[in-house]
């Protein structure tokens, strides 16, 4: 026979680690019912929170690592609980004890030795840009820093999107430069693993680099980097004007400085990345770009904008194993197919990878393509 | 004025003050202050013996200034002013020093609290030296009462006042009184027929000799002050002369033009000439100018042709009527949360998703389906989900609990069970059945076989969307592609007691949306100078001790305009507001505050700066003298004008510059 009693000291450690909001939860179940995991398996953030409110064993189980930080629940929570913050703080407590999932351990190792989570060499950081003739960033001569995210340097699929973006930006006459191997991962996903020490190291190394080189404005390829520059860097004296590349391109198109030339005769739907949409409130610019492309037929899916369905790659899920039948990417591809799209466009390197994976897992490579907005634009330009 | 003889009375307030402040030390300190001839302390100064102690000391020590160091003046200033008066001292020679709210309650360190208490008392003593006696002012009271809003709250309040012999002017915006209650079929928890209990009251209002009912009207301007309000009312053109109209209804039959019927929540239509519902009071029509084709094309006038008593009058115009009243009762009720703002719930997107009020009409014998609970295509539903807390208890919309929704949700569950064979699911977060007979009603419903699911419902999908997004689920629930199944709605929630995400395939969804403040609440608040709380509803003067009063003397609150409430609470509050209004107007005279501002004519340059700045519009301009004048009865003594006047011509009595400077010096002079 087990006898249960609350263990509020445990609760207090969670509150102290940044999980203050845990106190607000009144157990309505909204988070569980809106969470994308509910479509593929059982997962109740509410239940984990109740355990944590009591300080009972069980909150620290494997499920703690499921949250992809998509923010669907945060936007709907009637008590305004910062659910992601609560999860992150619980993860940070576990991280301190070293009990984080093994795959994440190697990611953190790679960050510590190479400054990126992909187990790629630091020297190869800008390999994607080799043939493009881009200039190195310097505060005196360059307006924007273009921050490509780590993925394009080490992942062949996402390499293409950085290339496409850089070519289009160049064509439009945007004055930008890049950093070489000194630059590190923005740290967004690392924070979500709960390893605050590694995370802060990254933050500080990037900020001192940016500040010493006189960075004022940043164009981010990935919404995850954008989010971090916007919400985390300023508190560590990293104050920059940050924009997502779709914002820059939409503005150029609107002002007539960039014009999609060739026809793109395909039916395209758009997947809102969580970190671009819900986290950053950018919904219209990517759509405006798509709608400006001649010949392109645009179709919306059912779950769009604030209600977009997560690809599953956030919250460091990118580096964790998910059984095939539980992958969100698969569900999203199905939804895209249901509206008759033959291209699913998006604007985030993680989404690209997760959707590509979904497409392969479903075996529908012949029916639908996954493309970044920049790739579509580039296809109509060159 | 005689040399000041100041008495200082320090209250322990049980341990509220004495628990932090060293009373003995403060008392000793107080007796050393200049002109203080007596200082003492007592456990509860506001108690009878405490008051007696003050009175006795005034007489014995010939005190001509009294300082009580205790709580906030909001609590007990009037108590001690009375004590002074009874002891023969002008009440304005009294000064309160707040050492509770501003000191003992908010200071952690007892030593610092003691230091602060001394400073506060020193300030009060210093100010008291310069206090001046002021005349007590009285004004006469107009015995009429204005009631704004003719829902059950306004009806109840009007009847109570009228029965007490006061003349009542009841202003209702729509063509009939009745409010929301008139739309209901049954009322929880007793399930009385709403019309049966409401109609007799409505008729009494229509017939009462003391009540002047003005429907299709709105209050446009209120000036004056407690006991003497001047009110401008806009009577909208009805285009039907109600003194001639017999209410035969032939005009409505003949009118060829239709609009969505507001009373039926848009589920049915009404004519351009209409009464909102059959039992309307007055039961005589108005013409809705927006819908009537005559106003657009100059042709038709069918109603006029058939009206025998020649009551239709296309030349009718809006009129402004001015009335004088002594008290005002606000009873403007509530609006409902717009369910479309939670787009995930499919309201107005899918058929058979209804709001609470829509369901009231569907279930009402006099409603669009003659009381038959049915789906849009006429079928009887076999399963219905009732979703609680839509727009309430939710920081994204309204944080407050809407209080009635759990109960009306139970009412619907019961009515559905009574009339159909349908399964009923109630998705709730917490059941709030706090009223008399409410918990018993909840118990009854569990016995009637309602399935209660503890979890907030988060989304509703129709068959097509569910099939696209969750094909496995649709299949697993045994949903086929039969015509009937293709009209299903799918509700998603977590059963938090089971830790299971549930899907409910149902035929109908009822959204229990929150009561919220009227969309024009701000206009009314400006009109009457009353405040609005954080929740959007009108703010009572004190949540416990003055629940029907407002910050403006003579203006009272009744019903749901003050916060979500059910009918029993609404009626109780309406009776209380009526009692407060009656007790005010039947006094004939009322004492008004003398701590007001006045303009020194010799100094006033006539610049008029103060005229616009006064938040209570208490200052007017006397053109003949070219000077500004403060209306005593309107002035609240806020001092805004005094600090604005560039010629220093305005003096705020009881808060003169000299008094304020002395208080500051006293505070600092430790
Ligand atoms: C779906 C639903 C079901 C309910 N069922 C029950 C039940 O079964 N039992 C129960 O006890 N309670 C029930 N309630 C609660 C009940 O509706 C309220 O308690 C009651 O109606 C409040 O009455 P009221 O007069 O304050 O407001 P209202 O009924 O809103 O009446 C206000 C009146 O003022 C008028 N008005 C508004 N603004 C102005 C203005 N500026 N000038 C002039 N007139 C104006 C309006 O036209 C209206 O006639 C239910 C509520 C809802 C939403
Ligand atoms: S939605 Fe918010 S309040 Fe509701 S269970 Fe989840 S965290 Fe708690
Ligand atoms: S952030 Fe997204 S994945 Fe995480 S619990 Fe909330 S809804 Fe689920
Ligand atoms: S026809 Fe004339 S009398 Fe009859 S209801 Fe209409 S306006 Fe009144
Ligand atoms: S003291 Fe305030 S209320 Fe009185 S007249 Fe001056 S501004 Fe108006």
């Amino acid at each position: 026979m087990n006898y249960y009693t609350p263990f509020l000291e445990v609760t207090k450690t969670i509150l102290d680690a940044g999980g203050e909001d845990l106190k607000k939860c009144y157990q309505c179940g909204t988070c569980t019912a809106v969470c994308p995991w509910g479509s593929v398996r059982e997962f109740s953030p509410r239940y984990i929170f109740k355990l944590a409110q009591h300080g009972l064993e069980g909150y620290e189980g494997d499920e703690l690592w499921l949250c992809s930080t998509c923010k669907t629940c945060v936007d709907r929570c009637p008590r305004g609980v910062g659910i992601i913050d609560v999860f992150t703080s619980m993860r940070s407590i576990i991280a301190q004890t070293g009990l984080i999932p093994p795959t994440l351990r190697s990611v953190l190792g790679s960050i510590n030795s190479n400054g990126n989570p992909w187990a790629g060499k630091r020297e190869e950081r800008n390999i994607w840009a080799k043939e493009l003739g881009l200039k190195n960033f310097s505060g005196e001569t360059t307006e924007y820093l273009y921050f490509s995210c780590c993925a394009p340097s080490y992942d062949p699929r996402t390499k293409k999107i950085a290339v496409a973006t850089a070519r289009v930006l160049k064509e439009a006459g945007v004055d930008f430069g890049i950093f070489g191997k000194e630059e590190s991962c923005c740290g967004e996903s690392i924070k979500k693993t709960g390893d605050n020490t590694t995370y802060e190291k990254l933050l500080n190394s990037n900020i001192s680099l940016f500040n010493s080189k006189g960075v004022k404005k940043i164009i981010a390829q990935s919404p995850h980097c954008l989010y971090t520059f916007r919400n985390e860097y300023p508190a560590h004296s990293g104050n920059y004007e940050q924009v997502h590349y779709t914002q820059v391109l939409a503005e150029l198109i609107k002002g007539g400085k960039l014009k999609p030339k060739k026809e793109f005769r395909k039916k395209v739907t758009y997947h809102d990345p969580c970190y671009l949409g819900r986290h950053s409130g950018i919904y219209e610019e990517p759509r405006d770009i798509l709608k400006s492309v001649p010949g392109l037929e645009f179709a919306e899916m059912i779950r769009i904008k604030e209600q977009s369905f997560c690809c599953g790659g956030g919250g460091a899920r990118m580096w964790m194993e998910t059984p095939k039948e539980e992958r969100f990417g698969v569900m999203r591809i199905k939804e895209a197919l249901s509206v008759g799209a033959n291209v699913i466009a998006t604007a985030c390197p993680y989404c690209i990878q997760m959707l590509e994976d979904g497409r392969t897992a479903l075996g529908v490579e012949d029916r639908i393509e996954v493309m970044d907005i920049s790739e579509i634009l580039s296809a109509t330009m060159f | 004025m005689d040399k000041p003889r100041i008495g200082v009375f320090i209250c322990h307030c049980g341990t509220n003050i004495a628990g932090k402040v060293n009373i003995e030390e403060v008392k000793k300190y107080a007796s050393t202050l200049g002109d203080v001839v007596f200082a003492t302390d007592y456990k509860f100064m506001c108690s009878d013996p405490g008051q007696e102690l003050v009175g006795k000391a005034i007489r014995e020590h010939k005190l001509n200034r009294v300082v009580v160091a205790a709580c906030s003046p909001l609590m007990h200033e009037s108590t001690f002013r009375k004590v002074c008066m009874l002891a023969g001292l002008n009440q304005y020679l009294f000064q309160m020093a707040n050492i509770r709210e501003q000191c003992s309650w908010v200071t952690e360190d007892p030593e610092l609290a003691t230091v602060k208490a001394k400073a506060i008392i020193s300030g009060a003593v210093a100010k008291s030296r310069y206090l001046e006696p002021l005349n007590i002012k009285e004004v006469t009271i107009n015995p009429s009462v204005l009631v704004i809003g003719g829902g059950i709250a306004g009806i109840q309040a009007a009847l109570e006042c009228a029965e007490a012999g006061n003349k009542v002017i009841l202003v209702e915006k729509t063509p009939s009184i009745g409010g929301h209650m008139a739309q209901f079929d049954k009322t929880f928890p007793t399930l009385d027929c709403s019309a049966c209990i409401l109609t007799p009251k409505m008729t009494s209002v229509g017939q009462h000799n003391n009540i002047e009912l003005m429907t299709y009207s709105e209050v446009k301007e209120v000036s004056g002050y407690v006991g003497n309000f001047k009110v401008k009312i806009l009577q909208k053109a009805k285009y039907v002369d109600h003194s001639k109209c017999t209410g035969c209804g032939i005009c409505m039959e003949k009118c060829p033009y239709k609009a969505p019927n507001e009373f039926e929540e848009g589920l049915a239509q009404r004519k351009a000439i209409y009464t909102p519902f059959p039992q309307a009071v007055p039961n005589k029509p108005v013409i809705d100018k927006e819908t009537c084709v005559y106003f657009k094309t100059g042709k038709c006038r069918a109603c006029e042709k058939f009206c025998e008593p020649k009551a239709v009058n296309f030349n009718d115009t809006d009129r402004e009527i001015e009335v004088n009243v002594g008290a005002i009762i606000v009873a403007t009720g509530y609006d409902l949360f717009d369910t479309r703002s939670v787009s995930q719930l499919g309201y107005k997107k899918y058929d058979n998703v209804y709001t609470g009020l829509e369901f009231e009409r569907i279930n009402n014998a006099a409603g669009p389906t003659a009381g038959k609970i049915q789906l849009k295509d006429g079928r009887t539903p076999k399963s219905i989900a009732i979703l609680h807390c839509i727009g309430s208890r939710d920081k994204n919309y309204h944080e407050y609990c809407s209080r009635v929704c759990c109960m009306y949700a139970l009412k619907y569950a019961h009515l559905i069970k009574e009339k159909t064979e349908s399964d009923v699911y109630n998705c709730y977060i917490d059941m709030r059945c706090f009223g008399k007979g409410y918990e018993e009603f909840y118990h009854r419903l569990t016995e009637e076989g309602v399935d209660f699911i503890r979890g907030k419902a988060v989304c509703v999908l129709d068959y097509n969307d569910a099939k696209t997004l969750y094909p496995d689920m649709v299949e697993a629930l045994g949903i086929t592609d039969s015509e009937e199944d293709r009209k299903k709605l799918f509700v998603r929630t977590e059963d938090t007691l089971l830790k299971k995400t549930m899907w409910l395939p149902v035929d109908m969804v009822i959204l229990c949306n929150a009561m919220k403040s009227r969309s024009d609440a701000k206009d009314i608040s400006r009109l009457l100078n009353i405040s609005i709380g954080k929740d959007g509803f009108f703010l009572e003067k004190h949540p416990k001790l003055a629940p029907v009063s407002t910050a403006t003397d003579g203006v009272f609150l009744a019903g749901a305009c003050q916060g979500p409430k059910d009918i029993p609470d609404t009626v109780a509050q309406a009776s209380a507001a009526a009692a407060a209004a009656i007790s005010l107007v039947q006094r004939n005279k009322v004492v008004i505050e003398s701590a007001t501002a006045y303009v020194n004519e010799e100094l006033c340059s006539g610049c008029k700066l103060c005229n616009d700045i006064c938040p209570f519009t208490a200052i007017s301009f006397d053109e003949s003298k070219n000077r500004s004048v403060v209306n005593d009865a309107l002035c609240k003594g806020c001092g805004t004008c005094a600090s604005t006047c560039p010629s220093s011509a305005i003096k705020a009595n009881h808060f003169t510059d000299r008094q304020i400077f002395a208080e500051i010096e006293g505070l600092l002079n430790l």
Side-chain angles (χ1 to χ4, degrees):
Chain A
M1 177 69 201
N2 282 329
Y3 296 97
Y4 291 102
T5 186
F7 200 48
L8 299 182
E9 264 161 57
V10 173
T11 313
K12 194 164 172 299
T13 27
I14 300 171
L15 303 181
D16 291 347
E20 270 289 307
D21 271 13
L22 179 63
K23 291 193 274 193
K24 298 186 195 159
C25 170
Y26 71 161
Q27 293 288 302
C28 68
T30 297
C31 48
T32 309
V34 299
C35 179
W37 282 108
S39 309
V40 293
R41 59 164 285 167
E42 268 181 27
F43 172 53
S44 175
R46 176 202 57 78
Y47 178 70
I48 296 176
F49 289 1
K50 189 73 243 174
L51 289 172
Q53 283 176 334
H54 287 320
L56 285 181
E57 239 170 68
Y59 86 83
E60 72 287 7
D62 290 348
E63 291 193 345
L64 185 53
W65 305 91
L66 284 179
C67 173
S68 64
T69 68
C70 74
K71 196 165 175 267
T72 310
C73 56
V74 179
D75 287 356
R76 294 287 301 278
C77 171
R79 275 285 170 90
V81 176
I83 294 167
I84 299 173
D85 301 337
V86 178
F87 271 126
T88 311
S89 66
M90 295 196 279
R91 288 180 184 181
S92 76
I93 291 170
I94 305 308
Q96 275 166 19
T97 66
L99 285 175
I100 63 174
T103 46
L104 287 187
R105 246 174 272 155
S106 51
V107 167
L108 293 166
S110 167
I111 286 279
N112 277 315
S113 51
N114 295 305
N116 72 73
W118 297 96
K121 294 203 187 86
R122 187 178 270 285
E123 300 73 58
E124 290 173 7
R125 187 161 183 98
N126 268 345
I127 197 159
W128 62 272
K130 225 158 104 199
E131 273 129 45
L132 296 176
L134 304 179
K135 66 173 167 182
N136 274 338
F137 180 88
S138 136
E140 283 107 60
T141 57
T142 330
E143 185 178 3
Y144 286 103
L145 166 69
Y146 168 66
F147 195 86
S148 69
C149 165
C150 312
S153 302
Y154 310 107
D155 171 68
R157 173 62 189 91
T158 33
K159 172 181 172 180
K160 294 184 195 155
I161 70 175
V163 170
T165 307
R167 288 183 71 194
V168 175
L169 286 174
K170 216 169 152 194
E171 175 76 12
V174 177
D175 179 25
F176 69 98
I178 56 174
F179 282 133
K181 54 183 192 299
E182 312 100 293
E183 164 190 290
S184 301
C185 168
C186 73
E188 188 277 317
S189 291
I190 307 309
K191 174 159 192 186
K192 306 295 165 23
T193 67
D195 184 344
N196 287 332
T197 325
T198 307
Y199 165 68
E200 298 208 344
K201 240 195 278 171
L202 281 179
L203 222 68
N204 292 331
S205 112
N206 270 348
I207 290 171
S208 56
L209 172 70
F210 291 3
N211 289 352
S212 71
K213 296 278 166 117
V215 172
K216 301 237 159 52
K217 300 178 180 177
I218 308 178
I219 300 175
Q221 176 71 43
S222 167
H224 294 262
C225 311
L226 176 79
Y227 170 89
T228 314
F229 296 149
R230 228 182 231 187
N231 301 296
E232 308 280 355
Y233 279 43
H236 294 76
S237 53
N239 292 296
Y240 321 105
E241 204 181 302
Q242 359 72 13
V243 282
H244 189 244
Y245 83 88
T246 55
Q247 293 178 294
V248 179
L249 296 181
E251 187 65 34
L252 288 168
I253 292 173
K254 202 166 132 209
K257 294 198 190 104
L258 183 68
K259 227 178 156 73
K261 288 181 219 136
K262 292 188 227 157
E263 287 209 336
F264 190 82
R265 292 217 154 271
K266 290 197 174 145
K267 189 162 178 182
V268 180
T269 192
Y270 174 67
H271 163 79
D272 289 275
C274 302
Y275 275 76
L276 193 61
R278 274 185 296 273
H279 280 284
S280 303
I282 300 168
Y283 297 107
E284 296 310 327
E285 288 88 337
R287 289 179 167 79
D288 291 346
I289 298 175
L290 289 174
K291 286 174 188 164
S292 76
V293 172
L296 183 150
E297 187 191 342
F298 185 67
E300 290 280 21
M301 289 184 279
I302 301 173
R303 294 174 292 200
I304 57 165
K305 301 187 180 174
E306 291 85 356
Q307 292 168 41
S308 175
F309 190 80
C310 177
C311 74
R317 290 297 308 166
M318 192 69 183
W319 298 278
M320 288 183 251
E321 249 342 288
T322 311
K324 220 177 226 172
E325 54 300 345
E326 292 183 7
R327 294 185 194 162
F328 302 170
V330 171
M331 304 198 56
R332 200 53 166 163
I333 294 289
K334 283 189 191 161
E335 188 175 345
L337 287 171
S338 80
V339 297
N342 35 41
V343 173
I344 179 165
T346 190
C348 166
Y350 293 178
C351 295
I352 291 280
Q353 293 190 47
M354 299 313 262
L355 293 173
E356 284 287 6
D357 171 81
R359 173 174 169 248
T360 319
L362 262 181
V364 289
E365 290 96 327
D366 52 336
R367 289 174 59 198
I368 192 160
E369 272 178 273
V370 177
M371 290 181 86
D372 193 89
I373 299 264
S374 61
E375 292 177 307
I376 293 179
L377 211 47
S378 154
T380 75
M381 308 277 313
F382 308 105
Chain B
M1 181 112 210
D2 298 345
K3 181 170 164 37
R5 292 179 60 79
I6 305 172
V8 180
F9 301 85
I10 302 159
C11 180
H12 297 206
C13 195
T15 55
N16 273 304
I17 296 170
K20 270 279 150 60
V21 172
N22 183 335
I23 301 279
E24 203 47 41
E25 194 183 321
V26 171
K27 187 171 72 178
K28 260 193 218 130
Y29 169 79
S31 52
T32 65
L33 293 168
D35 299 329
V36 172
V37 295
F38 181 71
T40 189
D41 63 302
Y42 190 66
K43 224 174 174 54
F44 289 105
M45 207 59 85
C46 61
S47 65
D48 275 349
Q51 292 186 35
E52 265 165 41
L53 185 157
V54 178
K56 205 166 135 230
I58 293 175
R59 285 185 298 266
E60 279 179 5
H61 298 273
K62 302 206 166 39
L63 302 178
N64 57 12
R65 300 286 190 286
V66 173
V67 172
V68 173
C71 51
S72 154
L74 280 178
M75 291 293 302
H76 278 307
E77 185 176 60
S78 63
T79 311
F80 294 111
R81 278 183 168 185
K82 251 180 236 141
V83 173
C84 290
M85 275 201 304
L86 286 175
L89 196 63
N90 184 283
Q91 61 173 10
Y92 289 95
L93 297 173
F94 165 75
Q95 179 65 30
M96 194 110 190
N98 183 351
I99 57 167
R100 193 178 73 173
E101 284 84 344
Q102 292 178 359
C103 181
S104 67
W105 279 359
V106 291
T107 315
E108 269 185 21
D109 179 347
E111 261 175 49
L112 290 178
T114 305
V115 172
K116 187 169 180 188
K118 286 184 193 169
I120 292 171
I121 291 170
S122 159
V125 165
K127 178 181 178 186
S128 77
R129 280 193 199 106
Y130 297 99
L131 289 175
E132 292 158 20
L134 300 174
N135 290 333
I136 307 299
K137 294 183 229 167
E138 271 188 338
V139 291
T140 55
I141 292 184
N142 183 315
S144 309
V145 178
L146 170 72
V147 177
I148 309 176
I152 182 60
I155 290 172
Q156 179 74 14
L159 286 172
E160 299 268 16
C161 293
E163 283 298 304
N166 296 93
K167 192 168 153 38
V168 176
I169 296 132
L170 174 55
V171 175
E172 165 59 48
K173 199 168 171 170
T174 68
S176 170
I177 55 170
H180 284 103
M181 190 177 167
Q183 292 178 286
F184 306 160
D185 181 46
K186 296 274 162 41
T187 53
F188 65 73
T190 43
L191 301 170
D192 331 51
C193 144
S194 190
C196 312
I197 55 176
L198 179 63
T199 323
K201 281 192 183 272
M202 290 169 59
T203 318
S204 308
V205 168
Q207 293 171 346
H208 208 291
N209 282 336
N210 279 345
I211 300 180
E212 187 183 331
L213 176 57
M214 299 184 64
T215 51
Y216 219 40
S217 301
E218 274 174 64
V219 174
K220 280 289 153 205
E221 205 182 300
V222 177
S223 57
Y225 46 88
V226 53
N228 297 278
F229 294 106
K230 250 197 193 60
V231 183
K232 280 191 189 144
I233 301 166
L234 177 79
Q235 169 67 68
K236 288 176 272 184
K238 296 174 176 159
Y239 304 104
V240 174
D241 182 344
H242 280 196
S243 65
K244 290 187 190 157
C245 171
T246 60
C248 72
I250 186 116
C251 53
M252 297 187 263
E253 231 170 79
K254 298 295 176 185
C255 172
Y257 284 87
K258 287 182 182 165
N261 187 336
E262 298 85 354
F263 185 80
E264 298 291 359
E265 295 293 311
L267 297 173
Q269 303 219 296
R270 60 156 171 84
K271 294 295 180 63
I273 182 164
Y274 74 106
T275 55
F277 54 102
Q279 304 90 336
V281 171
N283 204 349
K284 295 175 181 179
V286 299
I287 295 178
D288 154 22
K289 202 175 163 185
E290 301 303 312
T291 309
C292 172
V293 71
Y294 171 73
F295 287 100
K296 287 185 200 129
T297 64
K299 292 211 185 79
C300 183
R301 301 181 85 134
C303 50
E304 193 183 37
K305 273 172 228 136
F306 286 92
C307 175
E308 243 174 69
K310 303 267 164 272
V312 177
N313 169 18
F314 282 101
N315 297 324
D316 196 7
T317 50
D318 289 358
R319 275 171 302 140
E320 205 173 81
I321 295 150
E322 205 174 285
V323 298
N324 295 316
V325 296
I328 299 175
I329 297 175
V330 188
T332 48
Y334 63 96
D335 277 336
L336 279 151
F337 171 66
D338 184 355
T339 335
R340 275 171 304 191
S341 12
V342 196
S343 60
Q344 291 90 339
L345 298 175
Y347 179 65
K348 295 270 182 211
K349 182 171 166 204
Y350 305 138
D351 285 344
N352 300 316
V353 180
Y354 293 111
T355 64
L357 267 192
E358 285 171 346
F359 184 77
E360 289 286 353
R361 297 313 301 159
I362 291 173
N363 179 58
N364 196 301
T369 61
K372 190 165 172 288
I373 297 176
Q374 64 182 38
L375 300 168
K376 196 152 178 219
D377 62 8
R379 282 180 304 134
T380 305
K382 292 189 182 139
S383 52
I384 299 181
I386 302 174
L387 315 186
H388 295 220
C389 290
I390 306 302
S392 50
R393 302 189 68 200
D394 189 334
K395 279 211 146 185
N396 301 306
Y397 309 103
H398 301 291
E399 198 180 350
Y400 55 78
C401 166
S402 170
R403 288 179 97 235
V404 294
C405 314
C406 280
M407 287 307 295
Y408 80 66
L410 288 178
K411 172 176 80 175
Y412 297 161
H414 167 80
L415 295 168
I416 294 163
K417 283 286 178 194
E418 188 179 65
K419 290 190 178 178
T420 72
E421 304 271 292
S422 177
D423 292 333
V424 179
Y425 306 98
N426 276 55
C427 300
Y428 68 99
I429 310 175
D430 297 298
M431 288 302 301
R432 300 201 158 168
C433 309
F434 58 93
K436 194 163 176 167
Y438 290 10
E439 178 62 26
E440 294 87 330
F441 190 63
Y442 176 26
H443 184 170
R444 173 172 168 186
L445 266 289
T446 53
E447 297 210 9
E448 284 178 12
V450 172
D451 190 7
F452 288 92
I453 299 173
R454 193 200 174 279
K456 179 154 172 152
V458 299
C459 83
V460 177
L461 296 176
D462 72 350
Y463 174 84
N464 285 333
D465 287 353
K467 186 102 183 154
T468 310
L469 299 174
Y470 304 97
D472 304 350
M473 178 273 290
V474 173
E475 198 184 323
L477 298 183
I479 304 296
T480 65
D481 60 359
S482 69
E483 202 184 323
E484 203 179 300
D485 277 5
R486 275 191 279 117
K487 291 191 173 157
K488 288 270 184 225
L489 296 164
F490 297 80
V491 177
R492 178 158 151 150
T493 181
E494 181 189 19
D495 186 314
T496 58
L497 301 176
L498 291 181
K499 190 169 73 104
K500 292 269 183 286
T501 304
M502 297 271 219
W503 283 101
L504 312 169
V506 293
D507 297 320
M508 184 190 276
V509 170
I510 305 171
L511 306 173
C512 299
N513 46 338
M515 292 167 83
K516 70 174 193 65
S517 59
R518 286 278 182 199
S519 53
D520 65 351
K522 279 219 174 69
D523 302 332
I524 302 283
S525 83
R526 230 172 283 132
L527 213 59
L528 296 167
N529 235 317
I530 57 179
S531 320
I532 290 185
K534 202 169 81 193
D535 56 6
F537 291 96
F538 296 133
L539 194 65
E540 64 286 342
K541 191 168 177 180
H542 190 282
K544 289 161 209 149
L545 303 179
V548 298
S549 310
T550 65
T552 299
D553 293 339
V555 178
F556 304 98
L557 300 175
C561 66
Q562 181 257 348
K565 38 177 88 58
D566 53 20
I567 297 166
D569 283 3
T570 297
V571 171
Q573 199 194 21
S575 295
I582 295 165
S583 98
L584 167 70
V585 298
Q586 296 198 350
R587 254 182 265 163
N588 298 329
K589 278 189 176 153
V590 63
V591 174
I592 56 166
E593 183 56 57
S594 297
T596 53
Y598 83 89
V599 178
N600 183 336
E601 281 185 10
E602 281 172 21
L603 295 178
C604 174
S605 69
C607 70
K608 293 195 190 173
L609 270 180
C610 56
N611 293 211
D612 294 334
I613 209 117
C614 172
F616 303 95
T617 48
I619 310 183
S620 54
F621 197 69
D622 183 337
E623 298 287 350
S624 64
K625 292 187 182 157
N626 199 31
R627 295 288 179 268
S628 291
V629 198
V630 174
N631 180 335
D632 275 0
L634 284 180
C635 172
K636 296 265 171 200
C638 71
T640 309
C641 55
S643 51
T644 304
C645 177
S647 315
S648 304
I650 305 183
K651 182 169 148 192
N653 279 322
H654 208 53
F655 291 94
T656 61
D657 287 355
R658 199 160 66 161
Q659 290 164 358
I660 292 173
F661 283 127
E663 188 169 11
I664 296 171
E665 280 162 18
L667 269 169
L668 301 175
N669 192 15
L670 264 177

